[in-house]
Amino acid sequence: MQKSKHVFKTVDQHHHDSLIHLLDEHNLTGLWGSDKLVAIAQIWHFLDAWEDSSPALHDLAKSFNLCTLSNGNVSLLRDLAAHASLPFYRILSSEHFGAYKPSPLVYNGAAEHLGLRNEQCALVSAHLGDLKAARD
């Protein structure tokens, strides 16, 4: 699988870098130690899902193997799935492909990773741009 040519950073790395930047920008450098900064940057790992998400996904999982395909990194997605009781059969991340959606590397790589052709996959998304990119 071909990877993109840019240096890939995980979402966790972006969150951490953004936090450091904001603290620097507001003259708050040193307010927290490195462990606390990591904990704050990774608060995304424990967000609550929408109230109907887990029950709806559990219903779908009775008939389908569910996989998430996200720009979030693997550890973030695993933590979110565990925290919110989301029944994913597989967790796929842009991290696996070294690129972010809407790159074709992500969509094509996900199908390949699952041992499927693109036309054998269905994508459900709240983002129209994500659906258009997957179709293309």
Side-chain angles (χ1 to χ4, degrees), residues 16-70:
H16 186 268
D17 292 350
S18 295
L19 178 58
I20 298 298
H21 175 77
L22 284 169
L23 291 171
D24 288 347
E25 192 175 87
H26 294 280
N27 297 317
L28 297 170
T29 303
L31 181 62
W32 297 299
S34 60
D35 289 346
K36 184 69 171 179
L37 291 172
V38 168
I40 293 169
Q42 291 187 356
I43 198 71
W44 293 86
H45 287 239
F46 305 101
L47 290 177
D48 292 334
W50 291 105
E51 189 175 297
D52 58 351
S53 296
S54 182
L57 289 173
H58 278 277
D59 284 346
L60 283 170
K62 293 174 186 171
S63 301
F64 303 98
N65 288 329
L66 303 183
C67 174
T68 184
L69 175 61
S70 173

Short mmCIF file of all heavy atoms in Angstrom, two decimals, residues 16-70:
data_model
loop_
_atom_site.label_atom_id
_atom_site.label_comp_id
_atom_site.label_asym_id
_atom_site.label_seq_id
_atom_site.Cartn_x
_atom_site.Cartn_y
_atom_site.Cartn_z
N HIS A 16 -2.24 17.70 21.07
CA HIS A 16 -1.17 18.08 22.00
C HIS A 16 -0.44 19.33 21.49
O HIS A 16 -0.21 20.27 22.26
CB HIS A 16 -0.20 16.91 22.19
CG HIS A 16 0.84 17.16 23.23
ND1 HIS A 16 2.06 17.71 22.94
CD2 HIS A 16 0.82 16.96 24.57
CE1 HIS A 16 2.77 17.83 24.04
NE2 HIS A 16 2.04 17.38 25.06
N ASP A 17 -0.09 19.34 20.23
CA ASP A 17 0.62 20.49 19.65
C ASP A 17 -0.23 21.75 19.73
O ASP A 17 0.28 22.83 20.03
CB ASP A 17 1.01 20.21 18.20
CG ASP A 17 2.07 19.15 18.06
OD1 ASP A 17 2.67 18.72 19.08
OD2 ASP A 17 2.31 18.71 16.90
N SER A 18 -1.53 21.61 19.47
CA SER A 18 -2.43 22.77 19.55
C SER A 18 -2.54 23.30 20.97
O SER A 18 -2.56 24.52 21.19
CB SER A 18 -3.83 22.40 19.04
OG SER A 18 -3.78 22.08 17.68
N LEU A 19 -2.59 22.40 21.94
CA LEU A 19 -2.64 22.82 23.34
C LEU A 19 -1.37 23.58 23.71
O LEU A 19 -1.45 24.66 24.33
CB LEU A 19 -2.82 21.60 24.25
CG LEU A 19 -2.85 21.86 25.75
CD1 LEU A 19 -3.95 22.85 26.13
CD2 LEU A 19 -3.00 20.54 26.50
N ILE A 20 -0.23 23.05 23.34
CA ILE A 20 1.05 23.73 23.62
C ILE A 20 1.06 25.11 22.97
O ILE A 20 1.45 26.11 23.60
CB ILE A 20 2.24 22.89 23.12
CG1 ILE A 20 2.31 21.54 23.83
CG2 ILE A 20 3.56 23.66 23.23
CD1 ILE A 20 2.54 21.63 25.32
N HIS A 21 0.61 25.18 21.73
CA HIS A 21 0.57 26.46 21.01
C HIS A 21 -0.33 27.47 21.72
O HIS A 21 0.04 28.64 21.90
CB HIS A 21 0.11 26.24 19.56
CG HIS A 21 -0.07 27.51 18.80
ND1 HIS A 21 0.99 28.23 18.30
CD2 HIS A 21 -1.19 28.21 18.48
CE1 HIS A 21 0.54 29.32 17.70
NE2 HIS A 21 -0.78 29.32 17.80
N LEU A 22 -1.53 27.02 22.13
CA LEU A 22 -2.45 27.93 22.82
C LEU A 22 -1.88 28.42 24.15
O LEU A 22 -2.01 29.60 24.50
CB LEU A 22 -3.79 27.23 23.08
CG LEU A 22 -4.69 27.09 21.87
CD1 LEU A 22 -5.86 26.17 22.18
CD2 LEU A 22 -5.20 28.46 21.42
N LEU A 23 -1.24 27.52 24.88
CA LEU A 23 -0.63 27.93 26.15
C LEU A 23 0.48 28.94 25.92
O LEU A 23 0.58 29.94 26.64
CB LEU A 23 -0.11 26.71 26.91
CG LEU A 23 -1.19 25.77 27.45
CD1 LEU A 23 -0.56 24.49 27.98
CD2 LEU A 23 -2.03 26.44 28.52
N ASP A 24 1.31 28.69 24.91
CA ASP A 24 2.38 29.64 24.57
C ASP A 24 1.80 30.99 24.16
O ASP A 24 2.28 32.04 24.61
CB ASP A 24 3.25 29.10 23.42
CG ASP A 24 4.14 27.95 23.82
OD1 ASP A 24 4.30 27.72 25.04
OD2 ASP A 24 4.68 27.28 22.91
N GLU A 25 0.78 30.94 23.32
CA GLU A 25 0.16 32.15 22.80
C GLU A 25 -0.43 33.03 23.90
O GLU A 25 -0.47 34.25 23.79
CB GLU A 25 -0.93 31.74 21.80
CG GLU A 25 -1.49 32.85 20.97
CD GLU A 25 -2.46 32.30 19.94
OE1 GLU A 25 -3.65 32.15 20.28
OE2 GLU A 25 -2.02 32.02 18.82
N HIS A 26 -0.88 32.40 24.97
CA HIS A 26 -1.52 33.14 26.08
C HIS A 26 -0.61 33.24 27.30
O HIS A 26 -1.09 33.49 28.41
CB HIS A 26 -2.86 32.48 26.43
CG HIS A 26 -3.86 32.59 25.33
ND1 HIS A 26 -4.60 33.73 25.10
CD2 HIS A 26 -4.22 31.71 24.37
CE1 HIS A 26 -5.37 33.55 24.05
NE2 HIS A 26 -5.16 32.33 23.59
N ASN A 27 0.69 33.06 27.07
CA ASN A 27 1.69 33.18 28.13
C ASN A 27 1.38 32.28 29.33
O ASN A 27 1.52 32.70 30.49
CB ASN A 27 1.85 34.64 28.57
CG ASN A 27 2.36 35.51 27.46
OD1 ASN A 27 3.28 35.12 26.73
ND2 ASN A 27 1.77 36.68 27.30
N LEU A 28 0.95 31.07 29.06
CA LEU A 28 0.63 30.11 30.11
C LEU A 28 1.56 28.90 30.11
O LEU A 28 1.26 27.89 30.74
CB LEU A 28 -0.83 29.65 29.98
CG LEU A 28 -1.87 30.76 30.16
CD1 LEU A 28 -3.26 30.25 29.77
CD2 LEU A 28 -1.87 31.27 31.59
N THR A 29 2.66 29.02 29.39
CA THR A 29 3.63 27.93 29.36
C THR A 29 4.07 27.60 30.78
O THR A 29 4.32 28.49 31.58
CB THR A 29 4.85 28.33 28.50
OG1 THR A 29 4.39 28.67 27.19
CG2 THR A 29 5.86 27.22 28.42
N GLY A 30 4.13 26.33 31.09
CA GLY A 30 4.55 25.90 32.42
C GLY A 30 3.40 25.76 33.41
O GLY A 30 3.61 25.36 34.56
N LEU A 31 2.20 26.10 32.98
CA LEU A 31 1.04 26.00 33.87
C LEU A 31 0.85 24.56 34.34
O LEU A 31 0.53 24.33 35.51
CB LEU A 31 -0.21 26.50 33.14
CG LEU A 31 -1.51 26.49 33.92
CD1 LEU A 31 -1.43 27.41 35.14
CD2 LEU A 31 -2.67 26.92 33.02
N TRP A 32 1.03 23.59 33.44
CA TRP A 32 0.91 22.19 33.77
C TRP A 32 2.16 21.43 33.35
O TRP A 32 2.83 21.81 32.39
CB TRP A 32 -0.28 21.56 33.05
CG TRP A 32 -1.61 22.15 33.46
CD1 TRP A 32 -2.16 22.15 34.70
CD2 TRP A 32 -2.55 22.80 32.61
NE1 TRP A 32 -3.39 22.76 34.69
CE2 TRP A 32 -3.65 23.17 33.41
CE3 TRP A 32 -2.58 23.12 31.26
CZ2 TRP A 32 -4.77 23.83 32.90
CZ3 TRP A 32 -3.69 23.77 30.74
CH2 TRP A 32 -4.76 24.12 31.57
N GLY A 33 2.43 20.35 34.04
CA GLY A 33 3.54 19.48 33.67
C GLY A 33 3.18 18.64 32.46
O GLY A 33 2.03 18.61 32.00
N SER A 34 4.17 17.91 31.94
CA SER A 34 3.97 17.15 30.70
C SER A 34 2.89 16.08 30.85
O SER A 34 2.11 15.86 29.92
CB SER A 34 5.27 16.55 30.21
OG SER A 34 5.80 15.68 31.17
N ASP A 35 2.80 15.41 32.00
CA ASP A 35 1.77 14.38 32.19
C ASP A 35 0.37 14.98 32.13
O ASP A 35 -0.55 14.42 31.54
CB ASP A 35 1.96 13.63 33.51
CG ASP A 35 3.16 12.71 33.50
OD1 ASP A 35 3.70 12.43 32.41
OD2 ASP A 35 3.56 12.25 34.60
N LYS A 36 0.19 16.13 32.75
CA LYS A 36 -1.11 16.80 32.75
C LYS A 36 -1.46 17.29 31.34
O LYS A 36 -2.62 17.19 30.91
CB LYS A 36 -1.10 17.98 33.74
CG LYS A 36 -2.43 18.67 33.87
CD LYS A 36 -3.46 17.80 34.55
CE LYS A 36 -4.71 18.58 34.86
NZ LYS A 36 -5.73 17.78 35.49
N LEU A 37 -0.46 17.78 30.60
CA LEU A 37 -0.71 18.23 29.23
C LEU A 37 -1.19 17.07 28.35
O LEU A 37 -2.11 17.23 27.55
CB LEU A 37 0.56 18.86 28.63
CG LEU A 37 0.97 20.20 29.22
CD1 LEU A 37 2.33 20.62 28.68
CD2 LEU A 37 -0.09 21.26 28.94
N VAL A 38 -0.57 15.92 28.51
CA VAL A 38 -0.99 14.74 27.75
C VAL A 38 -2.42 14.36 28.13
O VAL A 38 -3.26 14.08 27.27
CB VAL A 38 -0.02 13.55 27.97
CG1 VAL A 38 -0.60 12.26 27.42
CG2 VAL A 38 1.33 13.85 27.34
N ALA A 39 -2.72 14.37 29.42
CA ALA A 39 -4.07 14.02 29.88
C ALA A 39 -5.12 14.99 29.32
O ALA A 39 -6.20 14.56 28.88
CB ALA A 39 -4.12 14.00 31.40
N ILE A 40 -4.80 16.27 29.30
CA ILE A 40 -5.74 17.26 28.77
C ILE A 40 -5.91 17.06 27.26
O ILE A 40 -7.03 17.06 26.75
CB ILE A 40 -5.27 18.69 29.08
CG1 ILE A 40 -5.34 18.94 30.58
CG2 ILE A 40 -6.09 19.72 28.31
CD1 ILE A 40 -4.64 20.21 31.03
N ALA A 41 -4.80 16.87 26.56
CA ALA A 41 -4.87 16.69 25.10
C ALA A 41 -5.63 15.42 24.73
O ALA A 41 -6.23 15.34 23.65
CB ALA A 41 -3.46 16.66 24.52
N GLN A 42 -5.63 14.44 25.61
CA GLN A 42 -6.29 13.18 25.30
C GLN A 42 -7.69 13.06 25.91
O GLN A 42 -8.28 11.97 25.90
CB GLN A 42 -5.41 12.01 25.73
CG GLN A 42 -4.17 11.91 24.88
CD GLN A 42 -3.35 10.67 25.18
OE1 GLN A 42 -3.66 9.90 26.08
NE2 GLN A 42 -2.28 10.49 24.42
N ILE A 43 -8.26 14.16 26.36
CA ILE A 43 -9.61 14.12 26.92
C ILE A 43 -10.62 13.64 25.88
O ILE A 43 -11.66 13.07 26.21
CB ILE A 43 -10.01 15.50 27.51
CG1 ILE A 43 -11.19 15.37 28.47
CG2 ILE A 43 -10.31 16.49 26.41
CD1 ILE A 43 -10.87 14.70 29.75
N TRP A 44 -10.27 13.82 24.61
CA TRP A 44 -11.12 13.35 23.51
C TRP A 44 -11.35 11.84 23.59
O TRP A 44 -12.34 11.34 23.06
CB TRP A 44 -10.47 13.68 22.17
CG TRP A 44 -10.39 15.13 21.88
CD1 TRP A 44 -9.39 15.98 22.28
CD2 TRP A 44 -11.32 15.92 21.16
NE1 TRP A 44 -9.66 17.25 21.83
CE2 TRP A 44 -10.83 17.24 21.14
CE3 TRP A 44 -12.51 15.63 20.51
CZ2 TRP A 44 -11.51 18.26 20.50
CZ3 TRP A 44 -13.18 16.66 19.87
CH2 TRP A 44 -12.68 17.96 19.87
N HIS A 45 -10.46 11.11 24.22
CA HIS A 45 -10.57 9.66 24.31
C HIS A 45 -11.79 9.23 25.13
O HIS A 45 -12.19 8.06 25.05
CB HIS A 45 -9.31 9.06 24.97
CG HIS A 45 -8.12 9.08 24.08
ND1 HIS A 45 -7.44 7.93 23.74
CD2 HIS A 45 -7.46 10.09 23.46
CE1 HIS A 45 -6.42 8.24 22.96
NE2 HIS A 45 -6.42 9.55 22.78
N PHE A 46 -12.35 10.14 25.88
CA PHE A 46 -13.42 9.76 26.81
C PHE A 46 -14.68 10.61 26.63
O PHE A 46 -15.45 10.80 27.56
CB PHE A 46 -12.90 9.83 28.25
CG PHE A 46 -11.65 8.99 28.40
CD1 PHE A 46 -10.40 9.58 28.41
CD2 PHE A 46 -11.75 7.61 28.45
CE1 PHE A 46 -9.25 8.81 28.50
CE2 PHE A 46 -10.60 6.82 28.54
CZ PHE A 46 -9.36 7.42 28.56
N LEU A 47 -14.89 11.06 25.40
CA LEU A 47 -16.12 11.80 25.11
C LEU A 47 -17.30 10.84 25.12
O LEU A 47 -17.19 9.68 24.73
CB LEU A 47 -16.03 12.45 23.72
CG LEU A 47 -15.05 13.60 23.56
CD1 LEU A 47 -15.05 14.07 22.11
CD2 LEU A 47 -15.41 14.75 24.49
N ASP A 48 -18.43 11.33 25.58
CA ASP A 48 -19.64 10.52 25.55
C ASP A 48 -20.21 10.54 24.13
O ASP A 48 -20.18 11.57 23.44
CB ASP A 48 -20.67 11.08 26.53
CG ASP A 48 -20.25 10.90 27.98
OD1 ASP A 48 -19.46 9.97 28.26
OD2 ASP A 48 -20.70 11.70 28.82
N ALA A 49 -20.73 9.40 23.71
CA ALA A 49 -21.38 9.31 22.41
C ALA A 49 -22.78 9.91 22.50
O ALA A 49 -23.32 10.09 23.59
CB ALA A 49 -21.47 7.84 21.98
N TRP A 50 -23.36 10.20 21.33
CA TRP A 50 -24.75 10.61 21.32
C TRP A 50 -25.57 9.49 21.94
O TRP A 50 -25.27 8.31 21.79
CB TRP A 50 -25.22 10.88 19.89
CG TRP A 50 -24.59 12.09 19.28
CD1 TRP A 50 -23.60 12.12 18.34
CD2 TRP A 50 -24.88 13.45 19.60
NE1 TRP A 50 -23.26 13.41 18.05
CE2 TRP A 50 -24.03 14.26 18.81
CE3 TRP A 50 -25.77 14.07 20.47
CZ2 TRP A 50 -24.06 15.65 18.86
CZ3 TRP A 50 -25.78 15.46 20.52
CH2 TRP A 50 -24.95 16.23 19.72
N GLU A 51 -26.62 9.85 22.62
CA GLU A 51 -27.43 8.91 23.40
C GLU A 51 -27.92 7.72 22.58
O GLU A 51 -28.02 6.60 23.08
CB GLU A 51 -28.62 9.68 23.99
CG GLU A 51 -29.43 8.91 24.98
CD GLU A 51 -30.50 9.81 25.59
OE1 GLU A 51 -30.15 10.80 26.26
OE2 GLU A 51 -31.68 9.48 25.39
N ASP A 52 -28.23 7.94 21.30
CA ASP A 52 -28.79 6.87 20.47
C ASP A 52 -27.72 6.07 19.72
O ASP A 52 -28.03 5.05 19.09
CB ASP A 52 -29.81 7.43 19.48
CG ASP A 52 -29.23 8.50 18.56
OD1 ASP A 52 -28.09 8.95 18.79
OD2 ASP A 52 -29.93 8.89 17.61
N SER A 53 -26.47 6.48 19.79
CA SER A 53 -25.42 5.84 18.99
C SER A 53 -25.18 4.39 19.36
O SER A 53 -25.21 3.50 18.50
CB SER A 53 -24.11 6.61 19.11
OG SER A 53 -24.23 7.89 18.58
N SER A 54 -24.94 4.12 20.62
CA SER A 54 -24.62 2.77 21.03
C SER A 54 -25.78 1.80 20.77
O SER A 54 -25.57 0.74 20.15
CB SER A 54 -24.19 2.72 22.50
OG SER A 54 -23.84 1.41 22.88
N PRO A 55 -27.01 2.12 21.19
CA PRO A 55 -28.11 1.19 20.90
C PRO A 55 -28.31 0.95 19.40
O PRO A 55 -28.54 -0.18 18.97
CB PRO A 55 -29.34 1.86 21.52
CG PRO A 55 -28.81 2.82 22.53
CD PRO A 55 -27.47 3.25 22.02
N ALA A 56 -28.21 2.01 18.60
CA ALA A 56 -28.40 1.86 17.15
C ALA A 56 -27.30 0.99 16.55
O ALA A 56 -27.57 0.12 15.71
CB ALA A 56 -28.42 3.23 16.49
N LEU A 57 -26.06 1.20 16.96
CA LEU A 57 -24.96 0.38 16.44
C LEU A 57 -25.08 -1.07 16.89
O LEU A 57 -24.78 -1.99 16.13
CB LEU A 57 -23.61 0.99 16.84
CG LEU A 57 -23.24 2.29 16.13
CD1 LEU A 57 -21.98 2.89 16.73
CD2 LEU A 57 -23.10 2.08 14.64
N HIS A 58 -25.53 -1.29 18.11
CA HIS A 58 -25.73 -2.66 18.58
C HIS A 58 -26.81 -3.36 17.75
O HIS A 58 -26.68 -4.55 17.44
CB HIS A 58 -26.06 -2.69 20.08
CG HIS A 58 -24.86 -2.60 20.95
ND1 HIS A 58 -24.08 -3.70 21.26
CD2 HIS A 58 -24.26 -1.54 21.54
CE1 HIS A 58 -23.07 -3.32 22.02
NE2 HIS A 58 -23.16 -2.00 22.20
N ASP A 59 -27.86 -2.62 17.38
CA ASP A 59 -28.89 -3.19 16.51
C ASP A 59 -28.31 -3.55 15.15
O ASP A 59 -28.56 -4.64 14.63
CB ASP A 59 -30.07 -2.22 16.35
CG ASP A 59 -30.98 -2.17 17.56
OD1 ASP A 59 -30.87 -3.06 18.44
OD2 ASP A 59 -31.77 -1.21 17.65
N LEU A 60 -27.54 -2.65 14.56
CA LEU A 60 -26.91 -2.92 13.27
C LEU A 60 -25.94 -4.10 13.34
O LEU A 60 -25.84 -4.90 12.41
CB LEU A 60 -26.17 -1.68 12.76
CG LEU A 60 -27.02 -0.57 12.18
CD1 LEU A 60 -26.17 0.68 11.95
CD2 LEU A 60 -27.68 -1.02 10.88
N ALA A 61 -25.24 -4.21 14.46
CA ALA A 61 -24.23 -5.27 14.62
C ALA A 61 -24.86 -6.66 14.65
O ALA A 61 -24.16 -7.65 14.46
CB ALA A 61 -23.41 -5.02 15.89
N LYS A 62 -26.17 -6.74 14.85
CA LYS A 62 -26.85 -8.03 14.80
C LYS A 62 -26.87 -8.60 13.38
O LYS A 62 -26.97 -9.81 13.19
CB LYS A 62 -28.28 -7.91 15.32
CG LYS A 62 -28.36 -7.59 16.81
CD LYS A 62 -29.80 -7.32 17.23
CE LYS A 62 -29.85 -6.86 18.67
NZ LYS A 62 -31.18 -6.38 19.05
N SER A 63 -26.77 -7.71 12.39
CA SER A 63 -26.86 -8.12 10.99
C SER A 63 -25.59 -7.85 10.18
O SER A 63 -25.44 -8.42 9.10
CB SER A 63 -28.02 -7.39 10.30
OG SER A 63 -29.23 -7.67 10.96
N PHE A 64 -24.73 -6.96 10.67
CA PHE A 64 -23.56 -6.55 9.90
C PHE A 64 -22.32 -6.52 10.78
O PHE A 64 -22.41 -6.29 11.98
CB PHE A 64 -23.77 -5.13 9.33
CG PHE A 64 -24.99 -4.99 8.47
CD1 PHE A 64 -26.17 -4.46 8.99
CD2 PHE A 64 -24.97 -5.39 7.14
CE1 PHE A 64 -27.30 -4.33 8.21
CE2 PHE A 64 -26.11 -5.26 6.35
CZ PHE A 64 -27.27 -4.73 6.89
N ASN A 65 -21.16 -6.72 10.14
CA ASN A 65 -19.89 -6.47 10.82
C ASN A 65 -19.60 -4.98 10.69
O ASN A 65 -19.48 -4.47 9.58
CB ASN A 65 -18.75 -7.27 10.17
CG ASN A 65 -18.85 -8.74 10.46
OD1 ASN A 65 -19.33 -9.13 11.51
ND2 ASN A 65 -18.39 -9.55 9.54
N LEU A 66 -19.53 -4.30 11.80
CA LEU A 66 -19.33 -2.86 11.79
C LEU A 66 -17.86 -2.51 11.96
O LEU A 66 -17.14 -3.11 12.76
CB LEU A 66 -20.12 -2.20 12.93
CG LEU A 66 -21.62 -2.46 12.95
CD1 LEU A 66 -22.26 -1.69 14.09
CD2 LEU A 66 -22.27 -2.12 11.62
N CYS A 67 -17.45 -1.53 11.20
CA CYS A 67 -16.07 -1.05 11.26
C CYS A 67 -16.13 0.47 11.29
O CYS A 67 -16.91 1.07 10.56
CB CYS A 67 -15.33 -1.54 10.02
SG CYS A 67 -13.66 -0.88 9.85
N THR A 68 -15.32 1.08 12.10
CA THR A 68 -15.20 2.52 12.04
C THR A 68 -14.00 2.87 11.17
O THR A 68 -12.98 2.16 11.18
CB THR A 68 -15.07 3.15 13.44
OG1 THR A 68 -15.06 4.57 13.30
CG2 THR A 68 -13.82 2.72 14.17
N LEU A 69 -14.13 3.91 10.39
CA LEU A 69 -13.03 4.44 9.58
C LEU A 69 -12.98 5.92 9.89
O LEU A 69 -13.86 6.68 9.52
CB LEU A 69 -13.28 4.21 8.09
CG LEU A 69 -12.25 4.82 7.14
CD1 LEU A 69 -10.86 4.24 7.40
CD2 LEU A 69 -12.67 4.60 5.69
N SER A 70 -11.95 6.32 10.59
CA SER A 70 -11.90 7.67 11.13
C SER A 70 -10.52 8.28 10.96
O SER A 70 -9.52 7.58 10.82
CB SER A 70 -12.23 7.60 12.63
OG SER A 70 -12.04 8.84 13.25
#
